[in-house]
Amino acid sequence: MKQLSAVDAGFIFNETPTAPQHIGGLGIYDPSTAPGGKVRFKQIMENTLKRKHLAPLMRQRLAEVPFNADFPYWINQESFDPEFHIRHISLPEPGDWRQLCIQVARIYARPLDRNKPLWEMYVIEGLDNVEGIPKGCYAVLTKVHHACIDGTMSSDIGAAFADLEPVPDASRVPPPGPWDIDKDPTDAELLGMANFNNLTKPLRFLETLGATAPKVQEALAMLSEGKIKLPERAPRTRFNGTVSSSRVFEGVQFDLDTIKQIKNAAGGTVNDAMLAICSGAMRNYLLEKDELPSQSLVSMCPINTRSAAVDPGHTETGNDVSSMSVALRTDIADPKERMLAICQETRSAKELTAAIGAKTMLEYSQYMPTSLTSLGAKLAAEQGLANHMDPVFNTVTTNVPGPPIPLYSNGAHLVTSFGLGIAQDSCGLFHSISSYCGQATIGVTSCREMMPDPAHYADLLRESLAELVAVFLAPQPTAQKKTSKAKATPKKAKETVKKTKAPATKAKKKTVKSESETHSAKPAKTKKKAAKKTTKKKEDQSSLFDNVNGVTQNEDSSPDNTELH
């Protein structure tokens, strides 16, 4: 029996009927690489059962302390019911991208059953009309409670369940180790342990205070000297009220080399470039609705504090993350200046985090009063306090790097994947950034009432990247050219970007009218095109891929060997 940490328990205490606290992932698989060209649902269930020892969370159930007198515990079970946790559905014809997004959002909006291990898996067939995806693919949607796992460990467990070739080497999978099954504790036993822990908390708090006080004093001194600065206050937007029980999901995919070229040109990181893409999309989305604040929007960015010395095969449950706040500089209209400003903001945020210590606040959180925390979260949700309090941040943006090599599951090739996050009161927009095989992806999770047009927002993310390509990678006019030709250069650069927005496949695009069209909004173009080409917008709304290739830096550019961070 293992007790949850304060961070893990916080996701349990903060969960409400309209704000489930689970995270997820959506992977799309091509079964043509599997033996016989097919993958059966029974195979997926059997393979999951064979590898359940790689993820303890699959066999752990939550035991809550009466009256929330202390943090809950994980109880080891012998196994799990595969027919309950692994489910099988199919999209109706034509099986396009919007239908998949709508189905994923509906499933993801439902909370997990706390009487069972806190995870679910859905196999979704019928993806026969998704542009850039081979016909006959299937998707796998996973839901795992955030109390069990953070983004980094979720990626590690996903890799443990994957194979490096269609026909895997059975010896690569480590054998099961010892698994101690716990007896269900009684309420009296849980309260007894809670009383002991609460009596010893003051002494442990004094020890933590003595260990961290010098670091805090040093940070305060740096703050008074102006060497570091506090994060900006976030303005109120449509994403910072109370959320409904409905969700929306969208995903976009970009060429990772293009992202790296942009960050090299700006002198930043991959994370800076992805933040700039999200910043541009949020700015334009709110600007179109006449809701853009004059003050910059702020993003909370989780920081992985897990030790690098951890064994790669380590798959323990729990969260080991801190966070930093980054101003997205949505108050700057020029995309180039905005990107450069974001690079500076992330550097300042990292300096503040380093000064205080990424784990300092995590250590203090262990001593929060659990009963008051749980009661406060429930009262805040019931009274709708998010509508009356200033938000701490406007969105959450995570960045979890994925493998650069192809992965397989049950012989099927993983084509692409997207992350899903938490939309909750005071922060109803979540960007999940990842990478896989030379592609960078952004998964968007939001409340349906806050973002009724997710397909439109996806197009704004694509346009935001196109703006960065135009200002950082497009060829610049030379001094020898005539003035008239120099003026034409920006237009040519824009045309170049447009030509590179080719679908991943050469298949002829078809417009398919389906019931899902009533749930999706028209994709966005530039304002000048919007009035003239509304028909073309409908044709582009189911587009999944947007690889902005073909616009490169000078050949003598130094190679970028940095990983996503």
Side-chain angles (χ1 to χ4, degrees), residues 152-298:
T152 300
M153 193 50 61
S154 175
S155 177
D156 291 346
I157 290 179
F161 272 78
D163 299 306
L164 301 179
E165 57 278 322
V167 181
D169 181 3
S171 63
R172 192 186 71 85
V173 181
W179 180 253
D180 297 326
I181 301 174
D182 296 321
K183 183 185 72 172
D184 288 345
T186 65
D187 288 348
E189 290 173 333
L190 290 171
L191 286 172
M193 291 186 290
N195 288 333
F196 176 80
N197 289 337
N198 290 330
L199 286 173
T200 58
K201 267 185 181 180
L203 180 60
R204 289 183 281 123
F205 175 74
L206 291 176
E207 293 176 351
T208 301
L209 185 63
T212 58
K215 191 74 173 177
V216 174
Q217 290 177 346
E218 181 182 350
L220 291 174
M222 294 176 66
L223 188 64
S224 62
E225 296 170 4
K227 294 181 180 179
I228 58 176
K229 67 174 185 176
L230 293 175
E232 294 189 15
R233 296 183 61 181
R236 175 167 292 281
T237 70
R238 62 168 46 226
F239 303 116
N240 304 118
T242 56
V243 295
S244 70
S245 59
S246 299
R247 295 291 177 267
V248 292
F249 165 76
E250 253 295 351
V252 293
Q253 182 166 326
F254 304 122
D255 178 62
L256 184 56
D257 285 340
T258 301
I259 303 298
K260 289 184 175 182
Q261 291 172 28
I262 292 172
K263 71 97 174 175
N264 286 341
T269 66
V270 169
N271 193 54
D272 295 339
M274 299 303 285
L275 283 174
I277 293 173
C278 297
S279 171
M282 290 186 71
R283 171 186 165 82
N284 291 332
Y285 187 83
L286 295 176
L287 190 62
E288 289 179 353
K289 299 182 183 300
D290 197 24
E291 297 176 2
L292 180 66
S294 58
Q295 186 180 346
S296 174
L297 303 183
V298 177

Side-chain angles (χ1 to χ4, degrees), residues 299-302 393-398 422 427 429-432:
S299 175
M300 189 273 273
C301 301
F393 40 82
N394 303 107
T395 184
V396 176
T397 308
T398 66
I422 298 173
C427 185
L429 177 60
F430 194 106
H431 298 90
S432 179

Side-chain angles (χ1 to χ4, degrees), residues 26 97-98 101 104-105 247-251 418-420 443-445 454:
L26 178 69
W97 175 246
R98 287 306 315 145
C101 289
V104 166
R247 295 291 177 267
V248 292
F249 165 76
E250 253 295 351
F418 302 90
L420 292 92
V444 179
T445 309

Side-chain angles (χ1 to χ4, degrees), residues 110-191:
R110 298 194 290 263
L112 295 165
D113 185 350
R114 288 198 186 182
N115 295 316
K116 306 281 187 179
L118 295 178
W119 66 275
E120 291 175 358
M121 178 188 296
Y122 293 81
V123 179
I124 307 173
E125 289 190 298
L127 279 65
D128 294 331
N129 197 42
V130 179
E131 184 177 347
I133 298 295
K135 186 175 181 179
C137 285
Y138 65 90
V140 176
L141 171 65
T142 55
K143 294 166 54 178
V144 182
H145 204 286
H146 212 330
C148 304
I149 201 169
D150 57 32
T152 300
M153 193 50 61
S154 175
S155 177
D156 291 346
I157 290 179
F161 272 78
D163 299 306
L164 301 179
E165 57 278 322
V167 181
D169 181 3
S171 63
R172 192 186 71 85
V173 181
W179 180 253
D180 297 326
I181 301 174
D182 296 321
K183 183 185 72 172
D184 288 345
T186 65
D187 288 348
E189 290 173 333
L190 290 171
L191 286 172

Side-chain angles (χ1 to χ4, degrees), residues 10-86:
F11 292 110
I12 298 295
F13 295 151
N14 291 331
E15 189 165 53
T16 66
T18 60
Q21 298 290 297
H22 53 254
I23 57 177
L26 178 69
I28 299 179
Y29 292 87
D30 180 6
S32 64
T33 58
K38 293 181 180 180
V39 175
R40 300 186 181 278
F41 179 65
K42 185 178 180 180
Q43 290 177 255
I44 297 175
M45 294 183 65
E46 291 175 347
N47 187 53
T48 305
L49 281 169
K50 288 179 181 177
R51 303 192 183 196
K52 62 180 182 290
H53 61 281
L54 300 177
L57 65 89
M58 301 184 77
R59 294 181 286 173
Q60 290 179 324
R61 182 178 58 82
L62 188 71
E64 298 183 71
V65 180
F67 313 113
N68 289 320
D70 200 0
F71 302 137
Y73 290 84
W74 292 121
I75 307 298
N76 290 349
Q77 297 184 164
E78 182 176 358
S79 189
F80 62 88
D81 181 1
E83 293 184 356
F84 174 84
H85 289 277
I86 308 173

